Amino acid sequence: MFDSDICKKKDGSPLKTYESEYEAQEAIEYVKRQHGNEHVSYKCSRCGYWHLSPKERQTPNHKSYCLDSNGRTKQAYPTYEAAKRRAEIIFDEKGIELFVYHCDQCNEYHLTHNQY
Ligand SMILES: [Zn+2]
Ligand SMILES: [Zn+2]
């Protein structure tokens, strides 16, 4: 593993670079054991070596298993900020005021019309 001098992160620090997919795969296993977060490796078209990138959820917000009063699945947001931002967008677009609350069942955040 070495620091790339071609490829940089958004903050300007060098990306960790692996010479082979095998080496990148080992790093993924290591990070998973140490920190418990999942990464994927990809072959970089700029430098020709391998980097890791965090394995994100498919979309920042996703369907939880929680149902609303109509029996439909609710949108869940992983952080208060994400839910709040979404509520602001909905307010701007539709003029509907929504409140963020933390859900004990899925341990994420939902939006509701009712203020608790
Ligand atoms: Zn690269
Ligand atoms: Zn929930």
Side-chain angles (χ1 to χ4, degrees), residues 4 7 15 44 46-49 51:
S4 178
C7 299
L15 268 177
C44 178
R46 282 183 75 190
C47 66
Y49 292 114
H51 304 302

Side-chain angles (χ1 to χ4, degrees), residues 21-88:
E21 184 176 14
Y22 178 77
E23 201 187 347
Q25 198 58 43
E26 283 200 319
I28 288 171
E29 295 294 322
Y30 177 81
V31 172
K32 196 174 162 187
R33 275 199 307 274
Q34 295 290 313
H35 306 287
N37 42 19
E38 302 255 9
H39 286 69
V40 289
S41 63
Y42 64 96
K43 193 175 200 317
C44 178
S45 55
R46 282 183 75 190
C47 66
Y49 292 114
W50 294 78
H51 304 302
L52 304 189
S53 97
K55 191 173 179 182
E56 304 279 1
R57 293 185 165 123
Q58 301 301 56
T59 49
N61 55 351
H62 61 280
K63 296 268 198 257
S64 72
Y65 296 107
C66 297
L67 302 178
D68 64 18
S69 52
N70 299 315
R72 289 178 306 204
T73 51
K74 284 183 207 167
Q75 287 289 350
Y77 303 87
T79 63
Y80 179 87
E81 285 71 27
K84 185 77 186 149
R85 229 175 301 133
R86 186 67 203 146
E88 284 166 4

Side-chain angles (χ1 to χ4, degrees), residues 90-103:
I90 291 169
F91 185 74
D92 284 346
E93 286 179 352
K94 301 178 186 167
I96 301 169
E97 193 171 12
L98 295 171
F99 302 97
V100 178
Y101 70 99
H102 179 259
C103 174

